[in-house]
Amino acid sequence: MPEEGRPYPWVRWSWSAFQRLLPWLLMVIIAICWWLLCGGHLSKPQHVLLEPPELHVAELQLNLTDPQKDLTLRWGAGPALGRSFTHGPGLEKGNLRIHQDGIYRLHIQVTLANCSSSGSALQHRASLVVGICSPAVHIISLLRRRFGQDCTVSLQRLTPLARGDVLCSNLTQPLLPSRNADETFFGVQRVYPWP
């Protein structure tokens, strides 16, 4: 007959049995807590690997085959013009059209043909201007620099551009740029996509 003070007489816990089970019991409790707190995260990726942004880059050469009626420099790409290409942006009447929003690095170099270091008065007043000429009615200037006594102007900058922006480059005086692809070129590269 069971003793009266104990509801379950078949369970007899001694202090030594409890001490032997305590480490195992703690490990089970820790494992359950770990699973409850972090287990859901283990089944899902901790961080999503972002795919590299789609490449949007263009390197253009001066295209002097188009008749030039104004001071706008016309650019072209393709094997006929040497090391020039477009991947993403497109060409529209010799100007560069942006097809994806983003932060772009613009670079341009223009060397004047038949230029001397002493320079003419026309050369001293001449500037190279790169801007967004469409869809706006007037040009939004992004880069501008005078030739002064130099025969070459090189410019670059980071700037946000939006889909549909058309970049154009102009000389402010009627001077002839060099046809040499190592001296006169224009390019863009999207370095960061824009939401």
Side-chain angles (χ1 to χ4, degrees):
M1 191 156 176
E3 295 179 18
E4 295 224 4
R6 296 185 169 177
Y8 305 106
W10 57 88
V11 178
R12 291 189 176 187
W13 290 98
S14 68
W15 181 248
S16 62
F18 181 72
Q19 285 178 331
R20 282 190 304 248
L21 288 176
L22 184 62
W24 293 104
L25 187 60
L26 287 174
M27 285 195 312
V28 168
I29 291 171
I30 290 171
I32 290 172
C33 289
W34 180 264
W35 182 77
L36 289 174
L37 295 174
C38 302
H41 298 293
L42 293 177
S43 62
K44 299 174 190 171
Q46 291 290 339
H47 54 306
V48 177
L49 295 176
L50 297 175
E51 292 184 24
E54 188 178 337
L55 186 64
H56 290 274
V57 63
E59 188 66 31
L60 308 172
Q61 303 297 325
L62 192 61
N63 185 1
L64 291 177
T65 59
D66 290 342
Q68 195 169 354
K69 298 175 185 149
D70 57 11
L71 301 175
T72 302
L73 299 176
R74 303 291 180 201
W75 303 97
L81 292 171
R83 299 178 311 266
S84 59
F85 57 89
T86 59
H87 186 76
L91 284 169
E92 181 179 287
K93 297 179 184 175
N95 294 317
L96 192 64
R97 176 176 282 280
I98 301 299
H99 293 295
Q100 292 289 328
D101 296 349
I103 305 293
Y104 284 80
R105 182 179 69 86
L106 280 66
H107 63 274
I108 187 168
Q109 177 175 305
V110 174
T111 299
L112 298 175
N114 304 321
C115 179
S116 68
S117 57
S118 61
S120 66
L122 193 61
Q123 177 185 330
H124 289 300
R125 293 189 316 263
S127 293
L128 173 64
V129 180
V130 177
I132 300 172
C133 54
S134 178
V137 175
H138 63 282
I139 293 177
I140 299 169
S141 180
L142 298 173
L143 299 165
R144 175 185 290 268
R145 184 163 177 212
R146 286 186 176 273
F147 280 92
Q149 292 184 340
D150 296 327
C151 294
T152 300
V153 168
S154 296
L155 302 166
Q156 68 176 349
R157 81 174 278 185
L158 289 172
T159 189
L161 296 173
R163 175 190 300 236
D165 284 348
V166 176
L167 302 178
C168 55
S169 53
N170 301 310
L171 292 174
T172 58
Q173 300 291 328
L175 297 168
L176 184 64
S178 171
R179 290 176 175 251
N180 187 332
D182 294 328
E183 295 179 338
T184 302
F185 50 86
F186 176 42
V188 298
Q189 176 185 7
R190 186 172 76 164
V191 295
Y192 191 78
W194 212 0

